[in-house]
Amino acid sequence: MVKHGNHEYLCAEEKRLKEDKERKKYWKKWGPYLSERQWGTVREDYSANGDAWEHFSFDQAKSRTYRWGEDGIAGVSDTHALQCISFAFWNEKDDILKERLFGLGNPEGNHGESVKEIHYYLDNTPTHSYMKYLYKYPQKKFPYEEIRKENKARSRDVPEYNIIDTGIFNEDRYWDIFIETAKDTDDEEEILFRVTAYNRGPEAAPLHIIPQVTFRNTWVWGHQTPDKKPSAEYQNEFVAKTKHWNLGERFIQLSPSPGVTPDSSDVIPKQLFTDNDTNLHGLYGVENKSEYVKDGFHRYIVDDEKDAVNPARKGTKAAAWYAFDEGEGVPPGGCAVVRFKLSKRVETRSFTDDRGRTQTEIGIDEEIFDDMFELRRYEADEFYYRISPLPMTDDLRNIQRQAFSGMLWTKQFYHMIWEQWANGDPSQPPPPPERKKIRNDKWRHMYLDDILSMPDCWEYPFFAAWDTAFHCIPLAMIDPEFAKKQLDVLTREWYMHPNGQIPAYEWNYGDVNPPVHAWATFRIFKIERKMYGREDLDFLERVFQKLLLNFTWWVNRKDSEGKNVFEGGFLGLDNIGVFNRSEALPTGGVLEQADSTGWMAFYSLNMLNIALELAKHRRTYEDIASKFFEHFLFISDAMTYRDGDKENSLWNEDDGFYYDAISHGGPTSQQMPVKSLVGLIPLFAVLTLEPEVLKKFPSFTKRLDWFIDNRTDVAERNIASMKRRGKGDRLLLALVSRDKLKRILEKMLDEDEFLSPYGIRSLSKYHEKHPYSMNVDGVEFKVDYVPGDSNSSIFGGNSNWRGPIWLCVNFLLIESLLRFHMFYGNKFKVECPTGSGDMMHLGQVAEELQHRLQHIFQRDDHGRRACNAGSDMLDHDPNWRDHVFFHEFFHGDDGSGLGASHQTGWTGLIAKMIHDSGVNCRLPHTPRTPGAAANHYFDDIFSRVPKKPQPFLGRRHSTRSIDARSDWDDEDEEDRRAREKDDEEVLEYVNHRLKRVMSISGASAVGDPVADEDVDAEEQLDEA
């Protein structure tokens, strides 16, 4: 949005967002809400032992109906997943129709569950007016059993075996299948689909593309009357009609596809119909309740069972079978195109007959159809350039764009009604009675039916509470309404437990996640205010009121001895501790957690911050702010300072670090000296108070002064000196003092401990040679530095907090450093890296960490991305190198991607970091000098305006070959001149900025873009 005076200048996508917000049009009614994996989830588990992976497996998924959702490839659905559109493929080699992405369940993988396919989320807009998905489909027989057997044979000490390792993509024998979706301008519920499949291999190959329309099965469970059963029916050769009691009547209109060669005839789709009901006979050997069942298309196309589909051409699942198999198939370098649309009307087109008369016929005008895609793509370019208008390299802009895209593709429909899930359905056999006690038996109030931001569409197709908080930061940059809804819904009565606990995730709603939701709530509020000029105080107050309940739950449930030192369990850090922190300690006693206590201090300060914001409008919130001020001081004091010889602190003075401790209830406790994120998390609890705030709220200031006068010991230890104010006359509230901050940073910035070339490690590298172990009753418990995949089975073994880099905690560390910098200013400097002799103030350290994290994804001098783990194909092949995986976590030494491969979720935070510091992000190993930075700027190619629409696809009855329509068209002369002109303007701008940098007295880094560096810190924290 561009504002000039009182006028708003909105781009097309911003107008759509405004229309959706004002409920003038429902642009978000249809979106990428279909899961990539519904099998193997807790929702679909009706077993007696709670083994969700075994109860509903991948092999069963093609034949067995889901109870709570649907899944598919590049799926689109309405907001309740009642009607779903997805895509299936067949290469004439596979034994099964490719209807869903394959992966291993948790027991099958040597590092837990993992998708074993290659796909990318290339583009998406907040209203889903344009979406683009890439699936790389092998032309050889898919190696299902090879992947299973090899992973089963591997131990946890070696990497998992992925599809690239099989060599199936060698010689480029695969299809690049681009799936695009565009919404109509006038009718937001009219959706256009285009599939373009390129044969990258050296030989001709056949391909079958089968778009599918599936109604989620809501009729078989006994909760719905028969008259509400939906249907899809054949209308004519190119049209099928769908009817749903909730969605109404719609039409699937198909277009014939151009042949695969200039001499080939058009490919006419064959419509198929079956029912989305379980194949009981195929799975269990009993009689089917429906004559035509879920796996009908697989059996008809792959197994050649001609009676597997309904000859009456109707059902609850429909498909259009496009067979590109004439001759030997699609020639090398050629492509196949499929076009169809979902609409409330049937489109007609005009043509001139042999007598020169204008006639009309049912059919899609392909030129208008393709024009809509080009327009939507151009509008998407315009929207994202407005989000990040400053010049940056094309590579960083591409990374950011795909990060945003992944955030939007992982919006999924999530459905679970505890009463029905636990007790079973009227028309089905009752579930085993012991099942109720396996998990989530205390969450009987839950009634979930929403579009939620998931961590990963395949590996984690369920919400995770603390992940969601981080998701909301990049989401708020592009769609603050959706971001706000995510935090709002988690605190609503059908999610939050009556006792105030926020549900963690479906495997155990009762697990405890870090309390980051107050932080996320206020950050979203500020992002919207800064980027969109709106203050949603209703949202802020509504969520704040619910968080008061959650804060009370924490105080009552997780401070067992009432002394402001908290337990909490695993707190999202899975295997970081010596013991499984979600279970009773084998030593007995209680684990007093430095991270849990640090999180609660962090929580207190964020609640204080929100209360002061609300107090600008309702003065009663001053009293609440005072209450959280006191909470923070007592937590801080209990965590760090001894009371004579009566209590032990979590701070170790000898090591200069925070540790967990085992307390047996007496005056002493046993610290466990493991240098991990547990000891860095106390840095998160930091807040600067501006002098204007203290003047504006006299009641709050009076309470603060009372503490200074009457609790001098507590105040002086935990407030960075009331008498010696910081930069800008600010006041600092922080768990760590100046001395402790310096000692902690010595370790955090030591490359032999926490500091990696790609960010801050989760465990100090010190433990590589010095593992910490404890023997309890003859059993050894050990923590050692493991920079890659986990060698432990704790929490399924598919994540690792004993060395790798996680973007979520790095993001909070960066924010904390910026807060400290706002108080201490430029004069407080630390060595970064430790022992290098290079002194930086904390703003520069924060920027250095941002750049190191960006280097995980950004190409280096040799064209390699660290996250690609040295793969020549991923780094250099023109059909791979521009596509980016966003992994769950990253190797602590080399930055290679690990864990879930599409967890754009909190890894999507990289989009915010690029927004904040991408304009001056250096390549790895570039000296920190203005001259070197200038060479980097001027040697790279920048772009800051959207590229012009590309030429149109070839269409039937015109150009038969559409190879020229690939996404890598050569640049024409006009485009080249326009680009060069843009580059000249950008270089002039950059040169101007660099001159300003070089003119700053004492500037030691390009990270000083303005004379007063704390302006940068303040702007980043206030969402500049």
Side-chain angles (χ1 to χ4, degrees):
M1 178 178 67
V2 177
K3 298 190 74 172
H4 181 71
N6 295 323
H7 299 282
E8 290 182 351
Y9 298 90
L10 304 179
C11 68
E13 180 63 15
E14 289 169 335
K15 290 177 182 177
R16 286 188 283 267
L17 283 167
K18 185 176 181 182
E19 288 174 343
D20 190 85
K21 181 178 184 292
E22 296 173 353
R23 301 189 177 184
K24 294 178 179 178
K25 285 190 174 184
Y26 196 174
W27 283 103
K28 299 177 188 174
K29 183 175 179 64
W30 295 83
Y33 309 140
L34 192 64
S35 176
E36 287 180 351
R37 177 175 64 83
Q38 185 69 17
W39 61 272
T41 60
V42 169
R43 282 156 290 159
E44 301 294 340
D45 177 21
Y46 284 75
S47 67
N49 62 357
D51 188 347
W53 297 105
E54 180 66 26
H55 180 72
F56 204 135
S57 67
F58 171 82
D59 292 334
Q60 293 176 329
K62 74 175 185 297
S63 306
R64 184 175 166 187
T65 300
Y66 294 126
R67 171 62 178 87
W68 296 101
E70 286 295 331
D71 60 17
I73 297 173
V76 172
S77 77
D78 63 278
T79 51
H80 298 283
L82 298 172
Q83 185 169 344
C84 311
I85 299 96
S86 60
F87 299 85
F89 309 99
W90 188 45
N91 57 13
E92 299 189 1
K93 302 288 196 310
D94 288 348
D95 294 331
I96 63 173
L97 188 66
K98 179 68 69 173
E99 294 180 278
R100 57 188 49 79
L101 298 176
F102 169 71
L104 301 181
N106 185 276
E108 297 177 294
N110 62 325
H111 294 291
E113 63 267 32
S114 176
V115 67
K116 300 301 182 184
E117 306 262 18
I118 300 294
H119 62 292
Y120 297 95
Y121 309 124
L122 297 184
D123 214 351
N124 208 325
T125 59
T127 63
H128 315 301
S129 57
Y130 178 72
M131 301 188 287
K132 188 174 185 179
Y133 182 108
L134 170 60
Y135 174 54
K136 289 182 177 284
Y137 184 38
Q139 293 175 358
K140 297 179 181 178
K141 185 176 181 178
F142 198 92
Y144 293 105
E145 290 309 310
E146 178 186 345
I147 289 173
R148 281 175 167 149
K149 289 179 180 178
E150 180 60 29
N151 277 281
K152 185 177 181 179
R154 293 190 174 197
S155 71
R156 293 190 184 277
D157 296 321
V158 296
E160 60 187 76
Y161 188 65
N162 290 312
I163 187 171
I164 290 180
D165 301 322
T166 68
I168 201 166
F169 294 106
N170 293 352
E171 299 179 312
D172 295 331
R173 294 184 184 273
Y174 65 92
W175 297 92
D176 263 341
I177 304 177
F178 294 92
I179 302 167
E180 295 175 281
T181 305
K183 292 184 179 179
D184 184 69
T185 301
D186 299 321
D187 183 358
E188 71 276 20
E189 293 193 50
E190 181 169 299
I191 309 172
L192 284 61
F193 296 88
R194 184 172 68 189
V195 183
T196 312
Y198 293 91
N199 180 357
R200 300 300 186 197
E203 299 173 356
L207 177 66
H208 300 257
I209 301 175
I210 307 100
Q212 300 185 356
V213 178
T214 304
F215 286 107
R216 176 164 63 87
N217 191 321
T218 59
W219 55 87
V220 77
W221 316 110
H223 301 285
Q224 186 173 288
T225 56
D227 61 304
K228 290 187 176 181
K229 185 175 180 178
S231 67
E233 298 182 8
Y234 177 90
Q235 295 292 290
N236 60 52
E237 188 176 23
F238 299 111
V239 178
K241 181 171 71 174
T242 68
K243 293 175 65 176
H244 192 281
W245 68 270
N246 183 277
L247 299 172
E249 189 175 277
R250 282 176 168 76
F251 298 93
I252 301 295
Q253 187 167 0
L254 310 167
S255 179
S257 293
V260 296
T261 68
D263 299 324
S264 299
S265 57
D266 290 340
V267 176
I268 307 300
K270 182 173 184 177
Q271 295 185 50
L272 307 175
F273 296 85
T274 188
D275 281 308
N276 186 19
D277 289 295
T278 298
N279 184 349
L280 297 171
H281 182 267
L283 289 172
Y284 312 114
V286 300
E287 184 179 355
N288 282 330
K289 296 181 179 180
S290 175
E291 185 175 359
Y292 303 100
V293 289
K294 182 177 178 180
D295 58 13
F297 301 153
H298 157 77
R299 290 159 51 216
Y300 185 88
I301 296 172
V302 179
D303 295 340
D304 201 29
E305 294 184 26
K306 297 309 179 187
D307 59 351
V309 298
N310 192 341
R313 296 190 288 194
K314 61 181 180 180
T316 52
K317 184 177 178 182
W321 178 13
Y322 288 83
F324 297 93
D325 59 352
E326 184 177 347
E328 295 181 345
V330 181
C335 72
V337 183
V338 168
R339 299 176 178 89
F340 68 97
K341 65 192 297 186
L342 173 71
S343 178
K344 296 177 182 177
R345 62 184 180 89
V346 176
E347 181 180 338
T348 60
R349 63 186 176 201
S350 300
F351 68 97
T352 303
D353 64 15
D354 295 339
R355 299 182 181 180
R357 295 175 300 185
T358 301
Q359 304 285 351
T360 60
E361 65 177 356
I362 292 176
I364 292 174
D365 187 317
E366 294 173 350
E367 184 172 355
I368 295 175
F369 189 95
D370 288 341
D371 285 350
M372 184 63 70
F373 280 92
E374 301 308 321
L375 176 61
R376 290 290 171 267
R377 183 164 60 181
Y378 183 85
E379 291 169 350
D381 290 343
E382 183 182 25
F383 173 76
Y384 282 112
Y385 273 85
R386 287 192 174 209
I387 296 297
S388 293
L390 290 176
M392 66 178 70
T393 66
D394 284 343
D395 186 37
L396 277 178
R397 195 175 291 281
N398 176 53
I399 294 166
Q400 185 188 53
R401 179 76 164 263
Q402 290 186 49
F404 282 134
S405 173
M407 298 298 305
L408 296 171
W409 271 102
T410 49
K411 293 168 62 172
Q412 290 184 17
F413 170 69
Y414 188 89
H415 188 37
M416 202 282 287
I417 302 171
W418 189 92
E419 184 67 29
Q420 296 177 13
W421 176 82
N423 298 318
D425 298 306
S427 64
Q428 302 296 311
E434 60 268 34
R435 172 175 171 272
K436 280 188 180 181
K437 296 297 182 181
I438 293 173
R439 60 171 61 93
N440 300 330
D441 61 309
K442 294 180 173 60
W443 293 81
R444 304 184 177 197
H445 66 288
M446 298 195 80
Y447 193 111
L448 315 182
D449 187 354
D450 293 289
I451 301 299
L452 301 177
S453 177
M454 306 297 183
D456 182 290
C457 284
W458 193 98
E459 196 152 328
Y460 303 116
F462 46 81
F463 74 90
W466 84 302
D467 297 56
T468 299
F470 291 102
H471 300 180
C472 289
I473 304 306
L475 284 170
M477 297 171 64
I478 55 177
D479 189 359
E481 292 305 311
F482 180 72
K484 289 184 292 186
K485 182 180 178 181
Q486 298 305 290
L487 294 180
D488 198 358
V489 77
L490 282 178
T491 58
R492 299 304 294 266
E493 56 272 23
W494 50 90
Y495 281 76
M496 178 184 277
H497 197 280
N499 66 17
Q501 184 179 8
I502 293 175
Y505 50 87
E506 67 176 25
W507 289 94
N508 186 357
Y509 288 131
D511 258 344
V512 183
N513 279 178
V516 291
H517 300 86
W519 164 80
T521 298
F522 198 45
R523 295 293 272 115
I524 291 171
F525 174 82
K526 292 198 295 180
I527 288 172
E528 184 177 27
R529 179 170 63 188
K530 192 69 177 180
M531 296 187 70
Y532 295 92
R534 301 190 297 260
E535 282 192 342
D536 193 342
L537 291 166
D538 289 341
F539 157 75
L540 189 65
E541 185 172 23
R542 183 171 59 250
V543 177
F544 180 76
Q545 294 285 355
K546 300 295 181 62
L547 289 176
L548 290 173
L549 299 175
N550 180 247
F551 188 91
T552 302
W553 174 84
W554 268 92
V555 171
N556 290 339
R557 298 296 182 95
K558 294 301 175 181
D559 178 13
S560 63
E561 297 181 17
K563 59 182 184 180
N564 294 298
V565 177
F566 291 80
E567 303 104 54
F570 91 115
L571 285 175
L573 305 185
D574 294 12
N575 64 340
I576 201 168
V578 179
F579 311 112
N580 185 335
R581 304 197 304 170
S582 284
E583 299 177 355
L585 294 177
T587 60
V590 172
L591 186 66
E592 295 181 338
Q593 298 178 215
D595 58 334
S596 181
T597 307
W599 283 122
M600 281 304 291
F602 175 72
Y603 197 176
S604 299
L605 290 180
N606 280 290
M607 293 293 278
L608 165 61
N609 223 355
I610 296 174
L612 290 176
E613 182 67 36
L614 292 172
K616 296 177 184 177
H617 308 274
R618 293 187 61 185
R619 299 306 290 264
T620 186
Y621 282 102
E622 276 193 75
D623 293 341
I624 298 177
S626 299
K627 182 63 177 174
F628 284 108
F629 170 72
E630 293 180 20
H631 268 297
F632 166 74
L633 289 183
F634 287 126
I635 291 171
S636 175
D637 211 49
M639 181 173 184
T640 310
Y641 294 93
R642 299 173 185 269
D643 181 11
D645 295 326
K646 296 180 182 179
E647 294 182 12
N648 279 337
S649 165
L650 300 181
W651 172 258
N652 187 298
E653 185 63 32
D654 294 333
D655 291 353
F657 208 71
Y658 287 102
Y659 297 128
D660 285 347
I662 299 174
S663 171
H664 294 278
T668 61
S669 61
Q670 177 187 357
Q671 285 188 348
M672 293 183 291
V674 177
K675 298 178 186 177
S676 71
L677 278 174
V678 165
L680 299 180
I681 285 172
L683 295 178
F684 298 166
V686 53
L687 174 68
T688 56
L689 292 177
E690 303 294 324
E692 293 79 11
V693 170
L694 302 179
K695 294 177 183 177
K696 189 175 183 66
F697 302 117
S699 177
F700 174 75
T701 304
K702 182 178 180 180
R703 183 62 179 163
L704 189 148
D705 290 340
W706 182 93
F707 249 86
I708 302 304
D709 295 337
N710 294 277
R711 297 298 305 270
T712 306
D713 54 340
V714 176
E716 281 299 316
R717 289 199 297 255
N718 299 285
I719 305 175
S721 184
M722 287 293 295
K723 297 179 181 179
R724 296 187 301 275
R725 298 292 180 94
K727 182 81 171 178
D729 209 29
R730 296 183 178 104
L731 178 68
L732 181 72
L733 301 179
L735 272 184
V736 300
S737 64
R738 182 187 180 106
D739 178 64
K740 288 184 172 62
L741 174 63
K742 204 154 194 170
R743 296 189 67 187
I744 292 173
L745 291 182
E746 284 178 6
K747 294 174 179 59
M748 191 183 90
L749 301 178
D750 189 336
E751 293 181 318
D752 291 328
E753 293 220 35
F754 285 97
L755 183 61
S756 160
Y758 304 100
I760 299 299
R761 302 176 175 108
S762 49
L763 185 79
S764 171
K765 197 171 182 177
Y766 167 84
H767 292 296
E768 184 175 36
K769 297 179 180 178
H770 306 88
Y772 175 79
S773 63
M774 180 181 289
N775 191 290
V776 181
D777 296 331
V779 179
E780 184 183 36
F781 297 87
K782 185 175 74 171
V783 173
D784 55 348
Y785 176 71
V786 182
D789 281 312
S790 174
N791 60 3
S792 163
S793 62
I794 296 179
F795 282 89
N798 60 339
S799 66
N800 183 22
W801 291 83
R802 294 183 177 180
I805 298 154
W806 295 76
L807 261 71
C808 52
V809 287
N810 272 263
F811 189 85
L812 290 177
L813 283 170
I814 289 165
E815 284 204 350
S816 300
L817 290 170
L818 291 171
R819 290 276 184 203
F820 281 116
H821 175 62
M822 288 176 64
F823 179 79
Y824 290 118
N826 298 348
K827 294 182 179 179
F828 181 83
K829 294 189 176 184
V830 295
E831 211 173 12
C832 180
T834 300
S836 67
D838 190 0
M839 304 300 293
M840 301 184 194
H841 61 63
L842 299 186
Q844 292 169 335
V845 174
E847 184 184 73
E848 174 68 17
L849 293 183
Q850 285 182 314
H851 289 171
R852 289 186 181 223
L853 291 163
Q854 289 171 53
H855 294 159
I856 292 173
F857 308 94
Q858 188 183 20
R859 289 194 183 101
D860 65 14
D861 297 328
H862 305 289
R864 291 198 177 276
R865 304 184 193 278
C867 58
N868 288 338
S871 168
D872 289 337
M873 182 174 69
L874 295 179
D875 284 331
H876 301 309
D877 190 306
N879 294 323
W880 295 76
R881 65 189 180 198
D882 293 325
H883 309 316
V884 184
F885 288 122
F886 294 87
H887 287 85
E888 183 180 3
F889 54 99
F890 301 88
H891 195 283
D893 295 334
D894 62 34
S896 56
L898 301 166
S901 57
H902 292 75
Q903 189 160 340
T904 320
W906 57 28
T907 303
L909 288 165
I910 196 65
K912 181 67 171 66
M913 297 183 195
I914 291 172
H915 176 274
D916 291 341
S917 65
V919 67
N920 62 337
C921 182
R922 296 166 289 104
L923 290 178
H925 315 304
T926 304
R928 291 181 58 86
T929 65
N935 289 333
H936 162 58
Y937 280 131
F938 299 140
D939 287 345
D940 217 327
I941 297 175
F942 285 75
S943 59
R944 63 173 183 177
V945 296
K947 296 177 181 177
K948 295 181 179 180
Q950 298 176 0
F952 297 114
L953 277 167
R955 306 177 182 94
R956 295 182 306 109
H957 311 308
S958 57
T959 307
R960 295 288 186 178
S961 174
I962 58 174
D963 301 353
R965 281 293 306 154
S966 77
D967 288 349
W968 300 279
D969 288 335
D970 291 334
E971 187 177 47
D972 61 28
E973 185 63 22
E974 183 180 353
D975 287 340
R976 184 188 63 78
R977 286 197 297 267
R979 177 179 57 76
E980 288 179 349
K981 182 179 179 182
D982 293 336
D983 290 346
E984 289 175 2
E985 294 177 0
V986 170
L987 293 177
E988 182 179 352
Y989 168 81
V990 173
N991 188 46
H992 171 70
R993 298 290 287 178
L994 289 173
K995 285 181 179 178
R996 291 188 62 192
V997 172
M998 296 169 69
S999 67
I1000 298 171
S1001 175
S1004 62
V1006 179
D1008 304 333
V1010 290
D1012 191 359
E1013 289 95 335
D1014 77 309
V1015 174
D1016 273 347
E1018 193 167 1
E1019 285 187 344
Q1020 285 195 38
L1021 289 166
D1022 200 33
E1023 300 313 324

